[in-house]
Structure formats: C-alpha cells, structure tokens
Amino acid sequence: MGFGVLFIWLSERVGMTLTDEQRAIRDVVREFAREEIRPIAREADETQTFPEEIWDGLAELDLTGLTVPAEYGGYDADPVTASVVYESVAYGSLAVATALSVHGLATSCLRTFGSDAQQERWLPEMADGRPVGAFALSEPHAGSNPADMSTEARRDGDEYVINGEKQWITNGVRSGVIILFAKTDREDPNTVTQFLVPKDVDGLTVGEKEDKLGLRASDTTSLTFDDVRIPAENRLTEEGKGLSAAFEILTGGRVAIASQAVGLADHAVEEAVSYSQEREQFDGPIADIQSVRHTLAEMATSTEAARQLTRHAARQRAAGTADAPMAASMAKYTASEAAMDVTNDAVQLHGGYGYVTEGEVERLYRDAKILSLIHISDG
C-alpha cells in the first residue's frame, strides 16, 4: 500500500476527512495564497514590509473575522475550519499567516472573556480587519514562564495604571488593539489579569521592528507601558484569572502554529517536486534518481503525518476534550519539526539554487526556524 493510499485509508478510519464546506474553503484560500500572496512574498520579506493589500484581501474573504461570532459580522469558524484556513494562508506566506493567527488570538480573547459591551464595541470592526489585534504576554526576562512577568496594572479608582514591557509582539506596529496580560500586584504571581488596551493610549511606546532571520514581513516589536491609564471596564477577566485564560486560548494558538507549519511544509514539498522534475542531470530529470525520489517521499510523508495530527488536535479542541491541550502540544511539536526538516531537504535538493535568494526555498527554510522556537508565551 503506497503512502498516499495509506493516509487516505487512515483518514477515513479515524474521521479526519474534511466536510464539503471545509474543502471548498481550503480551495478558495489556497488559490488566494497561490495567486495573490506568493507573488509578493519575496519582496515583502526583502523590504520587511507587511503587505497591507493582502490583509485587505483576507478581510474581503471574511478571514479577519475567522474567530468572531456571526452576530458581530464574523465568520465564526469551528477549530477545524480555522486550522484549514491558517494552513492554506501559510501555504502562501508564513508571515501573513502569523499576523492573521495572532489577530485571531485577540478576537478569540474578546469572544471568550469580553463583556457584551466590549464585544459590541470591538468585534465588528476587528472582523472587518481594522483595528488589527495583538497579543501581549511575553516579556524580556520572563522567558517561557509567563508567571514571572513583571508588567503591572495597578487599580487606581475607576482606572488601571499599567507599567512594564512586553516583547516579541506580532502586529506590534500594525495593531490598533492589544490584549494585555499583567499582574495587579507585581510581587504576586497569582494576580495575572487580562486587559484590552487601545493602541492610541498615552504612555504606550512601540519599539523598533526586530531584524529577524525569517518571518521578516511580519512586524515584531516590544511594547513599553509608562503610566498607561485604561478604564477598569477594559479588564477582560477577574483579577488573577488571566493566566488560566491565556492557557485556554493558547491551546488554539498551538493548533494554529501547527497548521501554519503544515502549510509551509506543503509549499516546500511542492517546490522540491517541481524543481526535481525540471532539473536535469545524467540525461534526465533528477526526479528519476532513486535517492531523490526517496527524499521527496519522506518529505511528503512527514507533511501529511503532521497535517493529520494537527487535524486531530483541532477536532479534540472542537469537542472540548480533556486531551485537547496535549493533542495541541503534540501537533505543534511534530508539525514545527516537520517544517524544519522538510524545508532543509528542499534546500538540499535545490543544491546551490536553494542557497540563493532568487528562489523560494531559502525563504521557507528561514521562516521555518521560528516555528520550533515559539513557546506558549510568545505573542
């Protein structure tokens, strides 16, 4: 039994096939990724500029409202459909998919923890794509343990006064609203609380964009809060409930990362197959060489295995099972490792052409590295 037939058989056995609607969505988004995102991806990477016209296109497809309820103009996607969308966008550009998934984290926080008034105020506009959302959990010295954060939001009458610094914030420049995690008492690790902070408040400074190895079209910055005042009504959770809220939302975040890793790996496989069929050595395409065929088969197998594990995690999350967090972590780990391995093989198969910036695989290889570095606290 060939690998392709085996995976189809396994998918049918464990119920991992997509619905007709999910397949239609996948096809539409993959076409958008191929026709609209890929042609501008290299320039966006070189100039370290986010392609806002692509964001507008995602909004026209209702994808900026992916995790927004229908009553607020959103798409209201289930976890499996959301996974398919993130995979398909990453098939065009991981930088764009990352920006979209972080925006989705922000809208998910509002959907899950926001009051009716907060949702009515923010979600319709965010579903339309503006303001862009950011997710501010990571800090310079907290590492992968968010309980060590030092950012403080201290109550002062009907307001909270925020002081501290966040780091590695995706959409740091582009965002108009920030989902912030801060302690109400800097010395008490049990006081982490979730807040909504409009970007235009006084005292909030956005740092310079990080000059990164990969994901260069996605703006990543620090955020510094210096006596930033927000109304108490901007609190999204009860005091001390912010960390558990973050963990709940980040289960979906891990599935999103895994999904993006699969889309990136899928692109790399496609590039490797195409090149091996066109590149001729020894009087024929290198795709006829047995060792090359073995490598391509291993790349495709790793990608499909990661996809099925990711779909399983998405279904576990949709069902709300106790195993959902573990399944999400397993999918994130497996898919991110697969993306790194597959893009490395793609560079190897391209030889010298894989090392220069003219082609696609060099960028895919650089982008893949971040997937294995992202921890639960990264924004």
Side-chain angles (χ1 to χ4, degrees):
M1 183 182 292
F3 281 120
V5 175
L6 175 62
F7 276 118
I8 292 172
W9 180 83
L10 285 173
S11 296
E12 292 173 346
R13 285 282 179 146
V14 298
M16 288 187 177
T17 54
L18 299 177
T19 65
D20 290 343
E21 181 181 356
Q22 288 166 341
R23 281 194 291 270
I25 292 168
R26 176 198 61 193
D27 293 345
V28 167
V29 181
R30 281 175 74 94
E31 181 180 5
F32 180 81
R34 188 182 292 110
E35 300 298 325
E36 303 294 335
I37 300 178
R38 284 193 186 178
I40 57 86
R42 186 171 70 180
E43 180 181 359
D45 177 81
E46 291 174 348
T47 61
Q48 301 188 51
T49 303
F50 189 86
E52 295 296 342
E53 69 277 13
I54 296 300
W55 188 260
D56 294 337
L58 294 173
E60 290 177 6
L61 291 173
D62 294 330
L63 300 184
T64 50
L66 196 63
T67 61
V68 175
E71 63 186 290
Y72 297 116
Y75 191 89
D76 201 14
D78 64 273
V80 177
T81 301
S83 173
V84 169
V85 168
Y86 292 136
E87 175 189 322
S88 300
V89 175
Y91 175 72
S93 165
L94 183 63
V96 173
T98 298
L100 181 64
S101 68
V102 170
H103 179 75
L105 281 179
T107 55
S108 292
C109 288
L110 274 166
R111 173 183 187 155
T112 306
F113 305 106
S115 66
D116 289 345
Q118 289 166 337
Q119 292 179 11
E120 290 172 5
R121 164 65 182 87
W122 294 102
L123 287 181
E125 294 181 0
M126 295 180 77
D128 289 339
R130 316 280 178 182
V132 176
F135 186 84
L137 181 61
S138 298
E139 295 195 0
H141 306 294
S144 58
N145 180 13
D148 284 345
M149 71 175 63
S150 59
T151 298
E152 183 181 58
R154 188 171 290 277
R155 186 71 180 254
D156 182 19
D158 293 333
E159 295 180 316
Y160 282 91
V161 182
I162 306 168
N163 285 282
E165 183 179 5
K166 297 294 182 177
Q167 194 170 26
W168 314 121
I169 307 304
T170 298
N171 296 333
V173 174
R174 303 176 58 245
S175 60
V177 60
I178 300 160
I179 303 300
L180 174 73
F181 295 84
K183 293 176 179 176
T184 55
D185 181 349
R186 183 177 285 119
E187 305 304 319
D188 187 350
N190 297 314
T191 64
V192 176
T193 306
Q194 185 179 201
F195 300 90
L196 183 151
V197 182
K199 188 76 167 298
D200 58 0
V201 293
D202 293 334
L204 174 56
T205 303
V206 179
E208 295 293 322
K209 290 192 292 186
E210 300 287 352
D211 189 9
K212 307 186 297 292
L213 170 70
L215 215 64
R216 293 169 66 82
S218 173
D219 56 310
T220 306
T221 72
S222 62
L223 297 174
T224 301
F225 299 83
D226 184 8
D227 285 339
V228 169
R229 288 183 172 268
I230 59 171
E233 64 191 29
N234 282 25
R235 193 185 69 208
L236 293 178
T237 60
E238 295 179 16
E239 292 190 0
K241 301 296 185 181
L243 207 53
S244 60
F247 291 160
E248 178 180 342
I249 292 298
L250 285 170
T251 295
R254 293 188 189 94
V255 177
I257 294 168
S259 305
Q260 293 169 69
V262 171
L264 178 68
D266 212 15
H267 186 181
V269 171
E270 184 180 276
E271 294 290 335
V273 169
S274 177
Y275 180 80
S276 66
Q277 291 172 338
E278 296 172 358
R279 175 65 169 169
E280 294 196 357
Q281 287 285 300
F282 309 109
D283 300 321
I286 63 172
D288 290 342
I289 300 172
Q290 189 177 46
S291 62
V292 172
R293 294 171 70 87
H294 283 170
T295 298
L296 292 172
E298 290 171 357
M299 293 167 67
T301 301
S302 295
T303 301
E304 186 60 25
R307 176 181 288 114
Q308 296 302 341
L309 190 57
T310 300
R311 297 268 169 85
H312 170 70
R315 284 184 167 84
Q316 291 291 304
R317 181 167 176 262
T321 68
D323 293 335
M326 178 63 74
S329 294
M330 291 170 65
K332 185 268 176 189
Y333 169 76
T334 301
S336 61
E337 291 297 307
M340 195 71 250
D341 291 342
V342 167
T343 55
N344 180 63
D345 286 340
V347 171
Q348 289 294 118
L349 287 175
H350 278 73
Y353 291 105
Y355 195 68
V356 296
T357 58
E358 293 178 19
E360 292 285 286
V361 294
E362 176 266 349
R363 175 174 55 83
L364 299 180
Y365 177 75
R366 287 188 289 105
D367 282 353
K369 185 57 187 174
I370 189 60
L371 295 167
S372 64
L373 296 176
I374 297 174
H375 295 292
I376 140 179
S377 61
D378 294 324

